[in-house]
Amino acid sequence: EESLQMWDLNKRLEAYLARVKFLEEENEVLRAEIQSAKSSPAGDSRRVKYEEELRALRDALDHAFREKCTAELARDNLYEEVQQVKSRCQKEQAAREEAKKQLSLSRKELEEERRAQIWLKERAVQLEKEVEALLEVHEEEKAGLDQEITNFSHSLESFRCAPVAFQPVEVEDYSKRLSEIWKGAVETYKTEVSQLESSLCQAKENLWKVVENNQQSQLQLQHLEKDLVGLKARKEMLEESLAQQWQEQRGEAEKFQLAMEALEQEQQSLRVQIARVLEDRQQLMHLKMSLSLEVATYRTLLEAESTRLQMPAG
């Protein structure tokens, strides 16, 4: 039984020694690989490469942040310009409304001047008709007076009176009165015609002034409309450039975010690999310690067995 136990112990010891040798060889291989990985230029180059990539990404991130700041400043400037353009558009709109009001007032004044001119024309026609009627009445009265004078002269000739003895005082007075009335009517007609002509000239001057103001208002309105169209086009161009810059900035930010996520994932995978290597190494150390304890135990057992076997021979 003791020999069988020793044989079994020897087999187990051989198996343990072989396993210990295999694990030591594997440990040596892993240690050599770790040392080579630590001391090899490939690992250093890879680490340097990773550090360079990380530095480049950090620089790119800083550059993107600076570009973002510049873009925000440009956006603020564009916003201020848009606000200025809006205020200018509002001012021009107010000026346009004021010009429209002035144009409407000028049109009203023009209509009033036209109405006054029409009334003056009608009044002039009416006065001309009245003058013609007065002239006709005057002609009729003159013809009647001529007829009466001729009749009176015929009656005088029938009496054969001396021309010096009879003086037609009443006829002369009547003719003087008629001539005075005629002169007064002509003077009043002349004064009324002159007044009408002066008022007509004043109305024409006012009409020309209104037309000139209307033309100036229309020119100013056309200039304001052109400026408004140009400002609208500039506003649309600024809005398009701002939207394009926002899209470019968003695309670059997304690219940098993806690159940072990829680097973080790679860093996490490297951490996981390092943790696995350390865990395997720790397990190997524990296994080595347990095997060394078993080997020491078996050695003591073998030494005790050898001493026990040598004692009867002695």
Side-chain angles (χ1 to χ4, degrees):
E1 288 178 1
E2 288 179 357
S3 63
L4 289 173
Q5 288 179 0
M6 286 298 295
W7 184 75
D8 190 11
L9 289 172
N10 288 325
K11 291 293 183 182
R12 288 176 65 187
L13 182 60
E14 287 177 0
Y16 280 117
L17 290 173
R19 188 176 178 184
V20 167
K21 186 177 181 181
F22 176 73
L23 290 173
E24 286 180 353
E25 290 177 356
E26 190 175 359
N27 193 7
E28 290 294 331
V29 171
L30 290 173
R31 186 178 297 169
E33 288 180 357
I34 291 169
Q35 290 295 329
S36 64
K38 287 182 179 179
S39 61
S40 65
D44 294 335
S45 64
R46 187 178 295 175
R47 184 178 296 172
V48 170
K49 184 179 179 181
Y50 286 154
E51 288 178 356
E52 288 179 354
E53 289 180 356
L54 187 60
R55 193 180 298 110
L57 288 172
R58 286 176 179 174
D59 293 334
L61 186 61
D62 293 333
H63 183 67
F65 183 73
R66 287 194 294 272
E67 287 183 353
K68 182 181 178 182
C69 293
T70 54
E72 287 179 354
L73 291 173
R75 181 192 64 187
D76 294 334
N77 293 325
L78 289 173
Y79 181 74
E80 290 179 357
E81 289 182 359
V82 168
Q83 292 296 324
Q84 291 178 0
V85 169
K86 285 182 178 179
S87 64
R88 189 174 177 184
C89 288
Q90 289 177 358
K91 290 180 181 178
E92 290 182 354
Q93 188 70 25
R96 187 177 178 182
E97 294 294 331
E98 187 67 25
K100 286 182 178 179
K101 289 180 181 178
Q102 293 292 332
L103 184 61
S104 63
L105 292 173
S106 300
R107 286 177 179 175
K108 288 180 180 179
E109 291 178 357
L110 182 61
E111 291 293 332
E112 290 178 357
E113 292 293 333
R114 286 178 181 175
R115 290 175 183 175
Q117 188 178 2
I118 292 168
W119 180 80
L120 289 172
K121 287 181 180 179
E122 291 177 354
R123 183 64 178 169
V125 171
Q126 186 178 1
L127 290 173
E128 287 177 356
K129 288 181 180 180
E130 290 178 358
V131 169
E132 289 176 357
L134 289 173
L135 288 173
E136 289 178 357
V137 171
H138 180 68
E139 291 293 332
E140 289 176 357
E141 290 179 353
K142 186 177 179 182
L145 289 172
D146 290 333
Q147 186 67 33
E148 289 178 358
I149 290 167
T150 53
N151 292 327
F152 188 73
S153 63
H154 286 301
S155 63
L156 286 176
E157 286 178 357
S158 63
F159 283 107
R160 306 244 177 220
C161 293
V164 180
F166 182 74
Q167 297 285 334
V169 180
E170 295 179 358
V171 174
E172 289 179 356
D173 293 335
Y174 188 68
S175 63
K176 287 180 180 179
R177 288 174 64 188
L178 285 175
S179 63
E180 288 176 357
I181 291 168
W182 171 251
K183 288 180 181 179
V186 170
E187 291 294 330
T188 53
Y189 175 72
K190 286 181 179 179
T191 54
E192 288 180 357
V193 168
S194 62
Q195 289 177 0
L196 289 173
E197 287 179 353
S198 63
S199 63
L200 184 61
C201 293
Q202 187 68 29
K204 286 182 179 179
E205 289 179 357
N206 293 326
L207 181 62
W208 281 110
K209 287 181 182 178
V210 169
V211 170
E212 188 176 359
N213 291 325
N214 191 5
Q215 290 178 357
Q216 290 179 0
S217 299
Q218 287 180 358
L219 291 173
Q220 188 177 3
L221 184 62
Q222 289 177 0
H223 287 301
L224 290 174
E225 286 178 354
K226 289 180 181 179
D227 293 335
L228 183 62
V229 170
L231 289 172
K232 284 182 179 179
R234 187 179 178 186
K235 180 182 177 183
E236 290 177 356
M237 184 175 67
L238 290 173
E239 288 179 352
E240 289 178 358
S241 62
L242 182 61
Q244 187 175 2
Q245 288 181 0
W246 270 107
Q247 289 179 359
E248 291 178 356
Q249 186 179 1
R250 189 178 296 172
E252 291 178 357
E254 289 178 355
K255 289 180 181 179
F256 285 121
Q257 187 67 29
L258 292 173
M260 289 297 293
E261 290 178 356
L263 286 173
E264 287 179 357
Q265 289 179 359
E266 189 175 359
Q267 187 178 3
Q268 191 69 26
S269 64
L270 289 172
R271 286 178 180 177
V272 171
Q273 290 179 3
I274 291 168
R276 287 179 181 175
V277 170
L278 291 174
E279 188 177 358
D280 292 336
R281 186 174 180 184
Q282 190 174 3
Q283 288 179 0
L284 288 173
M285 291 295 292
H286 286 297
L287 185 59
K288 184 178 179 182
M289 289 174 67
S290 62
L291 288 174
S292 61
L293 289 173
E294 289 182 357
V295 168
T297 304
Y298 280 114
R299 282 178 181 174
T300 54
L301 289 174
L302 287 173
E303 288 176 358
E305 187 66 26
S306 63
T307 53
R308 189 177 65 80
L309 290 174
Q310 288 176 5
M311 283 177 66

